[in-house]
Amino acid sequence: MLDHSSKTASADPLTEMLRGLRLEGVDYARYQMTAPWGLLFPAQKAARFHFVAERGCWLRTPTDEWVRLEQGDAVLLPRGAEHALASAPGACTKPLGKCQFQTVCGDIVEARGGGDGEETLFFSASMNFNVDGQHPLLRMMPELMRMHELAANEPGIPPLLATMACELALDRVGAGSMLTRLADVVAAALIRTWVEKGCGDSTGWVAAARDPDIGRVLAAIHLDPANEWTVEALAGVMHASRSAFAERFAAIVGETPARYVAQVRMHQARQWLVRDRMRIAVVARRLGYDSEASFSRAFKRIIGASPSHFRAGEADAPTGLSGQPPASSAPQQFGEP
């Protein structure tokens, strides 16, 4: 659905918008924990992914409920909300910093801990999206996605999970690279399945994105935010008059076309500043501003802070699983094997 090779003229606008959405794994860890044990995963900017390979465990959700994760289960927390994994509900959980980590292969670190009971083997990753955290789709995602709830009827998922379980043994050449790549694919499959099943909501931004007319406009904006979009140009995308387009856009999306374009452009600018470490002058030029000062004023008005705050700071840097600087890996595009 989201592979470039599947692009057709009839693809719906939401599919078009998601075509370039990517996940990039930045930190991976293999946990061998013996009961009793409990680990607290603090809130972070990056998404969290877990795959349980042996025996299962318990998850304390962001809403403070304990749910059972069975062997072969996978979960994704798209916004990195605080949660915990443990050998039993209510178990005492400890911060990740209390674990002893060591590099075992490639980009993977390993942690061991707990008591002298049964062993649970699971794999965790921190992952970044290549879009700003304020992208409407990311804001709509639930705090927690569980594989068995979303992909029960997806025939391609069980083989991926079975292969992940085999690679977790880490006793074959290249196992680390295979495992990190598989983790990116499985996390991407979770989100793709959520999108294909309607994103859990038929109202709001998703409904606007799936509107045959407005959806084309939103897709055009998100696929090329640096373009100099005018109301006339956007009305042309919808094949409507300027006034008819502006009225319908505001009614469905909830704000004016100019305001929506400005927000998308500045969120893209923040990505360039934080993720790509672009100079402010370069970002301003890419977005068509005559001066760095005029861009900075527009950026601060929408984002709430100056571009220099993001260019110089590390506020949006991912939190590593082991407390070490995250390792990088190739980005995974949704729908890409």
Side-chain angles (χ1 to χ4, degrees):
M1 170 183 167
L2 302 174
D3 190 352
H4 282 283
S5 63
S6 65
K7 185 173 182 179
T8 65
S10 61
D12 70 272
L14 185 58
T15 296
E16 290 298 311
M17 240 178 292
L18 293 173
R19 218 175 271 285
L21 187 61
R22 293 175 181 266
L23 271 176
E24 180 181 2
V26 293
D27 201 291
Y28 304 92
R30 177 180 185 259
Y31 291 85
Q32 289 183 288
M33 308 298 294
T34 50
W37 61 271
L39 291 173
L40 174 67
F41 291 82
Q44 64 176 34
K45 295 287 185 181
R48 293 270 194 192
F49 170 81
H50 300 296
F51 169 68
V52 182
E54 292 179 7
R55 295 197 181 279
C57 62
W58 288 84
L59 166 72
R60 192 184 74 201
T61 71
T63 57
D64 211 28
E65 299 176 89
W66 286 96
V67 297
R68 176 71 178 173
L69 298 182
E70 300 295 344
Q71 180 174 319
D73 211 350
V75 297
L76 177 70
L77 295 96
R79 289 185 292 279
E82 180 180 304
H83 60 288
L85 294 178
S87 56
C92 177
T93 57
K94 300 179 180 179
L96 292 178
K98 301 292 184 181
C99 288
Q100 295 296 317
F101 290 88
Q102 63 177 2
T103 301
V104 289
C105 69
D107 296 332
I108 301 177
V109 296
E110 184 177 71
R112 295 175 181 266
D116 55 4
E118 292 186 334
E119 181 181 88
T120 297
L121 176 65
F122 67 94
F123 177 84
S124 294
S126 287
M127 298 175 172
N128 280 337
F129 289 94
N130 71 324
V131 296
D132 187 82
Q134 293 303 307
H135 188 288
L137 189 69
L138 298 191
R139 294 205 311 265
M140 286 187 60
M141 287 181 185
E143 292 288 1
L144 175 69
M145 296 180 180
R146 295 187 64 186
M147 182 61 77
H148 82 274
E149 294 173 348
L150 286 171
N153 299 316
E154 295 288 331
I157 297 300
L160 284 174
L161 298 178
T163 304
M164 276 197 75
C166 290
E167 295 296 335
L168 264 174
L170 299 177
D171 58 357
R172 298 182 62 189
V173 175
S177 296
M178 287 283 291
L179 191 54
T180 57
R181 182 69 167 167
L182 285 165
D184 292 352
V185 172
V186 172
L190 262 171
I191 296 174
R192 182 178 67 174
T193 303
W194 175 73
V195 170
E196 290 178 334
K197 292 183 180 300
C199 304
D201 188 0
S202 61
T203 63
W205 184 85
V206 166
R210 286 191 163 138
D211 180 274
D213 297 320
I214 297 299
R216 287 201 307 273
V217 175
L218 295 181
I221 295 170
H222 282 274
L223 289 173
D224 189 11
N227 190 30
E228 191 174 343
W229 292 111
T230 63
V231 174
E232 289 81 3
L234 294 173
V237 173
M238 200 178 91
H239 307 298
S241 69
R242 184 182 185 280
S243 58
F245 159 71
E247 181 178 352
R248 186 170 180 194
F249 188 98
I252 294 178
V253 179
E255 55 193 334
T256 66
R259 176 67 177 171
Y260 189 86
V261 169
Q263 290 176 348
V264 173
R265 284 161 61 86
M266 293 308 154
H267 290 313
Q268 177 63 68
R270 182 164 64 179
Q271 281 291 95
W272 286 335
L273 292 168
V274 174
R275 183 194 64 203
D276 300 328
R277 311 303 297 161
M278 284 188 188
R279 293 169 50 214
I280 296 173
V282 173
V283 174
R285 191 163 53 248
R286 287 187 69 169
L287 291 178
Y289 282 85
D290 294 332
S291 69
E292 185 177 321
S294 60
F295 162 71
S296 295
R297 287 193 297 270
F299 184 94
K300 186 173 183 179
R301 184 174 65 252
I302 292 173
I303 301 298
S306 67
S308 58
H309 170 80
F310 293 95
R311 180 67 176 82
E314 298 292 337
D316 285 349
T319 300
L321 289 166
S322 62
Q324 301 298 320
S328 61
S329 65
Q332 171 62 39
Q333 180 170 338
F334 295 161
E336 182 180 347

